[in-house]
Amino acid sequence: MFQINENYQKLPGSYLFSAIAKKVAAYSEKNPDKPLIRLGIGDVTQPIAPAIIEAMHKAVDEMGQAETFHGYAPDLGYAFLRKAIVENDYKARGCEISEDEIFVSDGAKSDSANIQEIFAVENKIAVCDPVYPVYVDSNVMAGRTGVYDPDTERWSDVIYMPCTAENNFAPEFPKAAPDLIYLCLPNNPTGTTLTKAQLQEWVDYANKTGAVILYDGAYEAYISEEDVAHSIYECKGAQTCAIELKSFSKNAGFTGVRLGYAVVPKALQCNGVSLHDMWARRHGTKFNGAPYIVQRAGEAVYSPEGKEQIKKQVAYYMKNASAIKQGLKENGYTVFGGVNAPYIWLKTPEGMTSWEFFDFLLERANVVGTPGSGFGPSGEGYFRLTAFGSYENTLAALERIAKL
């Protein structure tokens, strides 16, 4: 008789945002007359920029002609997109990354879940706490996390790096040496980040201990402070210890289009084995490439018109973030984030758990957010709001919260 992967049975409950969706759907069914304002999931609301739409239309027309039709994409992605990525995201910032070190994918979420496949199950992972749930959940599925303790909401074989107000939400070097270190900067959910000097310390630490940093830079476009790195490869020595994951979802609104990429430097090796070659083998075996139309859309992100248009969209969302942060402060909330990321991280009112505050906002203000405990044990007592709604809805949500 067939057997299942028992590791899936270890996962507590459902995926965080699936659980939220079910609760919201149940509430809406019972209260159809109460319109909700959704500031929970990090999904964009502004339409894709005109320059990108134009490129997609052109690509669609090409697919309708035999002379310009495209079938399977190259394993690493089309050369035109990889060249644009290298020129704009790396060379322009003084990073020595080559085109064949870029692996185009359908998004950073997929890459952040799949990248662990090239590492041994015995590897110890370290995660910031709170953290994007996919990092831990994908390692649970692989059998790398040990036993779950529902009382502490921790896995026995996971090294947690608490990020709280007491340490300015900056992870500290763990006492136990990890093999794989997940860093999401700017951070989801706290909206905070590290300075370039602080990030350099992590690169030095990883090289010294023989660890690999899995660096999720999905929110890089929202960085506003000059001393914050846009890529980990701005740090000396990062090519021998870091894999970088990037997304087009939040900078260019591709949440429904799907496009991202991973950078695996050739200098990153383990006992003479190239991680670049391993990821290339995995990528070629399990992925048939992002669609030609979508990759042409990605190329247009780097055009002069595309850059200008998405810059305005990023500014739009950060205007929302500023409004949320200021509005909550005026109403007595303790608030973090909203400077280098489109997320606001707030302390729940005294005596309320994060899920109790979720229910309170949903039922009393008809506003949807994300409970902090869903991101890890250190997220308890906090709550995340996203700036990805419309400006009008953002202001309306603040008005509702102010009346509580």
Side-chain angles (χ1 to χ4, degrees):
M1 182 177 177
F2 71 88
Q3 301 293 317
I4 62 170
N5 181 346
E6 292 289 349
N7 294 313
Y8 279 67
Q9 304 307 303
K10 299 177 183 178
L11 289 164
S14 59
Y15 181 58
L16 171 62
F17 296 106
S18 298
I20 290 172
K22 290 178 182 177
K23 293 197 72 163
V24 172
Y27 180 83
S28 292
E29 186 176 350
K30 291 181 180 179
N31 303 275
D33 58 325
K34 295 182 179 179
L36 300 178
I37 298 177
R38 301 171 187 267
L39 302 180
I41 192 169
D43 196 1
V44 296
T45 54
Q46 293 296 294
I48 292 174
I52 301 170
I53 290 294
E54 183 180 348
M56 293 178 78
H57 283 172
K58 182 180 178 182
V60 168
D61 290 338
E62 289 179 21
M63 295 295 280
Q65 302 294 325
E67 297 79 12
T68 52
F69 172 79
H70 289 78
Y72 289 125
D75 285 354
L76 273 66
Y78 284 101
F80 60 77
L81 178 56
R82 290 185 286 114
K83 180 179 180 180
I85 289 170
V86 168
E87 292 292 333
N88 291 275
D89 290 348
Y90 296 102
K91 284 188 177 179
R93 298 188 176 115
C95 305
E96 295 183 3
I97 296 297
S98 61
E99 293 176 24
D100 60 356
E101 291 176 318
I102 305 291
F103 294 82
V104 176
S105 70
D106 61 354
K109 180 178 182 178
S110 300
D111 285 342
S112 64
N114 294 331
I115 196 69
Q116 52 80 27
E117 290 185 21
I118 65 173
F119 297 98
V121 175
E122 293 76 19
N123 282 312
K124 279 272 194 185
I125 70 166
V127 297
C128 295
D129 176 29
V131 72
Y132 184 43
V134 171
Y135 308 150
V136 174
D137 286 0
S138 59
N139 278 282
V140 173
M141 295 171 180
R144 195 176 283 114
T145 55
V147 179
Y148 182 70
D149 184 340
D151 294 328
T152 63
E153 297 182 327
R154 292 173 180 262
W155 294 90
S156 61
D157 291 344
V158 173
I159 299 171
Y160 292 88
M161 302 181 291
C163 298
T164 63
E166 288 69 31
N167 61 8
N168 295 315
F169 300 98
E172 299 171 0
F173 300 134
K175 294 179 180 178
D179 301 300
L180 307 176
I181 303 167
Y182 285 83
L183 293 180
C184 176
L185 298 169
N187 183 262
N188 176 17
T190 66
T192 55
T193 194
L194 302 179
T195 65
K196 185 175 179 179
Q198 289 175 311
L199 184 58
Q200 181 67 61
E201 292 178 359
W202 277 97
V203 169
D204 295 342
Y205 171 83
N207 277 318
K208 180 180 179 180
T209 60
V212 172
I213 296 174
L214 304 174
Y215 188 84
D216 187 344
Y219 301 94
E220 167 272 322
Y222 294 85
I223 293 172
S224 63
E225 296 178 320
E226 291 190 4
D227 64 342
V228 176
H230 287 256
S231 166
I232 195 169
Y233 301 116
E234 293 179 44
C235 296
K236 185 179 180 180
Q239 292 187 4
T240 57
C241 71
I243 292 173
E244 183 163 277
L245 313 174
K246 288 285 187 73
S247 170
F248 288 79
S249 287
K250 306 301 165 54
N251 66 329
F254 280 27
T255 53
V257 176
R258 308 308 306 150
L259 188 66
Y261 66 87
V263 183
V264 187
K266 295 175 185 176
L268 183 54
Q269 299 189 1
C270 177
N271 296 323
V273 177
S274 167
L275 270 66
H276 174 277
D277 292 349
M278 289 183 68
W279 185 243
R281 186 68 173 86
R282 190 265 174 208
H283 206 62
T285 299
K286 292 191 174 185
F287 186 62
N288 264 342
Y292 172 74
I293 296 166
V294 173
Q295 293 198 47
R296 280 297 186 191
E299 179 190 30
V301 168
Y302 299 104
S303 69
E305 299 83 5
K307 287 180 181 179
E308 186 62 30
Q309 290 164 7
I310 66 172
K311 183 179 180 181
K312 291 179 180 178
Q313 290 190 348
V314 167
Y316 178 93
Y317 292 131
M318 291 310 290
K319 180 181 178 182
N320 289 349
S322 179
I324 296 171
K325 189 170 188 175
Q326 185 61 33
L328 290 175
K329 282 186 174 181
E330 290 174 357
N331 283 281
Y333 289 90
T334 301
V335 188
F336 309 92
V339 175
N340 295 300
Y343 293 123
I344 303 299
W345 189 242
L346 63 137
K347 295 193 76 170
T348 59
E350 189 172 350
M352 271 194 190
T353 67
S354 57
W355 274 107
E356 287 171 345
F357 188 61
F358 173 88
D359 292 333
F360 179 73
L361 275 190
L362 178 63
E363 296 167 7
R364 297 279 298 275
N366 303 140
V367 172
V368 180
T370 308
S373 61
F375 297 100
S378 291
E380 183 55 81
Y382 291 92
F383 201 78
R384 191 192 78 174
L385 292 176
T386 152
F388 285 124
S390 69
Y391 185 63
E392 293 74 18
N393 279 347
T394 297
L395 295 183
L398 288 170
E399 290 180 8
R400 295 182 183 185
I401 293 172
K403 294 178 181 177
L404 295 175

